[in-house]
């Protein structure tokens, strides 16, 4: 890793974390409604994957704020979407769980666990028959790997050698259920290893995530079929803002916080002379300004007009409904 790449990783991970801490505050202030699933602790996965997978289609689960920003979305537009404002990336109609931007090939925030996997496979099939080089990236949690849609997707992707990376974000909890309660083994790659190349990586290390996805991208772009990566990681917050996380111990939480992806990257960069203290001070100050701007932009943006309620919505009954 060179200095420029390490600095980019730090900037995006710190930006993502500060964005989510601000979102958490605004949720508690009543400015964000509905569901809010935070990625705090898992930034290495979100940033490492999006920096490595720089072209092709991205399909995500609903814990996708940091993924979207690392893909190139303006934090102001993402925050406005969380606020449900007209200036949001999905015009305020999707909220936290549906950040969608075709210009970035980012089809994020499927609210159905594993629901986006068959769609990603279909898109990979389309790219293959169109003879395109770029493939498809699909990220999902360990809970999704127990769903029927997951097994159907890896089967057809393998049988037809489709260009898709299956990226499993294993944080050990499906909402509040520990993985050992619903799976015969902790490492989920055992479910896939007979179908395609499958590897396990440290999801708290952004450089390892980046290298693994870079290798997988080259594999699928050479027409060799799908590739599976399992990243072991950990979320510091509950499943969503309504979850106090009482199903896990303080000791377990502290163990994973000692592996914090941002602080460890900073220590490693200082140790190897890839960045100095001045860089980190200036970057942190710049990010604080960006986040404050994003929150003010969201607060001052207008609500969607009532007349737009059904725009972009497939609804046979809409004409018979009074807004």
């Amino acid at each position: 890793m060179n200095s420029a790449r390490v600095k980019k990783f730090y900037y995006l991970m710190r930006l993502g974390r500060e964005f989510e801490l601000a979102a958490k505050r605004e949720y508690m202030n009543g400015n964000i409604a509905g569901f809010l699933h935070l990625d705090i602790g898992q930034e290495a996965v979100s940033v490492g994957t999006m920096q490595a997978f720089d072209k092709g289609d991205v399909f995500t689960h609903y814990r996708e704020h940091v993924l979207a920003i690392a893909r190139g979305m303006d934090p102001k537009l993402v925050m406005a979407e969380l606020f449900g404002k007209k200036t949001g990336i999905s015009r305020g109609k999707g909220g936290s769980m549906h950040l969608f931007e075709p210009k970035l090939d980012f089809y994020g925030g499927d609210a159905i666990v594993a629901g986006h996997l068959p769609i990603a496979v279909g898109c990979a099939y389309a790219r293959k028959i169109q003879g395109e080089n770029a493939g498809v990236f699909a990220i999902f949690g360990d809970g999704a790997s127990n769903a029927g849609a997951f097994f159907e997707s890896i089967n057809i992707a393998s049988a037809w050698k489709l260009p898709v990376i299956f990226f499993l974000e294993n944080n050990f909890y499906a909402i509040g259920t520990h993985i050992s309660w619903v799976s015969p083994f902790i490492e989920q790659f055992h479910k896939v290893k007979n179908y395609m190349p499958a590897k396990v990586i440290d999801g708290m290390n952004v450089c390892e995530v980046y290298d693994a996805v870079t290798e997988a991208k080259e594999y699928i772009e050479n027409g060799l079929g799908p590739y599976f990566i399992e990243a072991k990681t950990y979320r510091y917050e509950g499943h969503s803002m309504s979850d106090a996380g009482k199903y896990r111990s303080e000791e377990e939480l502290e163990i994973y916080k000692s592996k914090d992806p941002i602080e460890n990257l900073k220590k490693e960069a200082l140790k190897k002379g890839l960045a100095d203290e001045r860089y980190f001070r200036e970057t942190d100050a710049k990010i604080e300004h960006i986040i404050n701007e994003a929150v003010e932009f969201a607060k001052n943006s207008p609500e969607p007009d009532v007349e737009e309620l059904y725009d972009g919505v497939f609804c046979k009954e809409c004409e018979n409904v009074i807004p």
Side-chain angles (χ1 to χ4, degrees):
M1 288 293 162
N2 58 42
S3 176
R5 192 172 300 287
V6 166
K7 288 179 178 177
K8 189 70 177 290
F9 287 161
Y10 179 83
Y11 170 76
L12 289 173
M13 287 199 294
R14 178 63 71 189
L15 179 64
R17 180 165 298 185
E18 295 303 321
F19 178 94
E20 296 224 304
L21 289 171
K24 182 179 179 181
R25 287 194 297 272
E26 295 305 320
Y27 186 94
M28 299 302 289
N29 289 336
N31 291 325
I32 296 174
F35 292 101
L36 185 69
H37 305 86
L38 300 175
D39 199 40
I40 297 171
Q42 303 185 165
E43 294 91 347
V45 166
S46 296
V47 171
T49 56
M50 291 299 94
Q51 285 296 290
F53 195 80
D54 53 358
K55 63 176 181 177
D57 299 310
V58 177
F59 290 85
T60 83
H61 46 43
Y62 46 75
R63 196 183 304 280
E64 88 282 37
H65 310 147
V66 185
L67 282 162
I69 292 171
R71 186 67 172 178
M73 275 190 205
D74 187 334
K76 288 193 295 187
L77 305 188
V78 178
M79 188 64 80
E81 187 60 41
L82 269 56
F83 274 61
K85 295 298 184 70
K86 189 174 183 176
T87 53
I89 195 70
S90 301
R91 299 180 185 176
K93 295 180 178 179
S96 166
M97 297 173 74
H98 302 289
L99 305 177
F100 193 86
E101 179 49 275
K103 291 178 182 175
L104 296 172
D105 295 325
F106 189 92
Y107 310 109
D110 195 307
I112 306 300
V113 174
H116 59 305
L117 299 183
I119 302 171
V121 169
C123 191
Y125 178 65
R127 283 191 173 272
K128 180 172 182 175
I129 63 175
Q130 289 172 353
E132 295 187 15
N133 174 256
V136 173
F137 178 86
I139 186 169
F140 50 98
D142 46 277
S145 71
N146 297 320
F150 167 75
F151 292 99
E152 292 170 353
S153 297
I154 62 169
N155 181 68
I156 202 68
S158 177
W160 293 354
K161 293 192 179 305
L162 301 180
V164 53
I165 299 173
F166 293 97
F167 193 99
L168 193 157
E169 195 175 51
N170 188 354
N171 62 24
F172 311 110
Y173 290 96
I175 306 182
T177 304
H178 192 268
I179 193 169
S180 60
W181 293 8
V182 291
S183 176
F185 33 75
I186 301 297
E187 292 184 331
Q188 302 301 288
F189 83 99
H190 293 297
K191 296 174 180 174
V192 179
K193 61 186 180 184
N194 290 332
Y195 290 82
M196 62 190 75
K199 66 189 306 182
V200 182
I201 63 170
D202 179 3
M204 304 298 274
N205 185 322
V206 65
C207 297
E208 191 168 330
V209 174
Y210 177 86
D211 288 343
V213 175
T214 299
E215 181 181 306
K217 186 164 75 83
E218 183 178 347
Y219 182 89
I220 68 169
E221 288 180 351
N222 284 329
L224 299 175
Y227 198 104
F228 182 92
I229 300 170
E230 175 181 358
K232 289 185 176 178
T233 184
Y234 201 79
R235 55 173 162 79
Y236 300 167
E237 302 290 327
H239 172 70
S240 69
M241 287 298 293
S242 61
D243 174 13
K246 297 296 186 183
Y247 42 81
R248 56 188 182 182
S249 68
E250 287 296 324
E251 290 79 8
E252 179 180 294
L253 191 56
E254 290 306 313
I255 287 172
Y256 280 95
K257 283 187 175 180
S258 72
K259 302 176 182 178
D260 187 84
I262 301 174
E263 294 305 317
N264 283 340
L265 179 71
K266 181 178 177 180
K267 288 177 186 173
E268 196 68 14
L270 289 169
K271 180 181 175 183
K272 294 183 176 178
L274 298 172
D276 56 22
E277 290 285 2
R278 180 180 177 183
Y279 163 77
F280 291 114
R281 282 197 306 274
E282 292 178 351
T283 300
D284 291 352
K286 178 181 177 183
I287 287 170
E288 182 180 359
H289 178 70
I290 292 171
I291 298 303
N292 288 339
E293 271 196 338
V295 172
E296 287 305 307
F297 175 79
K299 284 181 178 176
N300 296 322
S301 290
E303 304 277 353
D305 297 326
V306 172
E307 291 75 17
E308 299 176 15
L309 186 61
Y310 298 124
D311 289 354
V313 177
F314 177 74
C315 177
K316 289 182 179 178
E317 306 299 327
C318 289
E319 60 187 18
N320 299 320
V321 177
I322 299 173

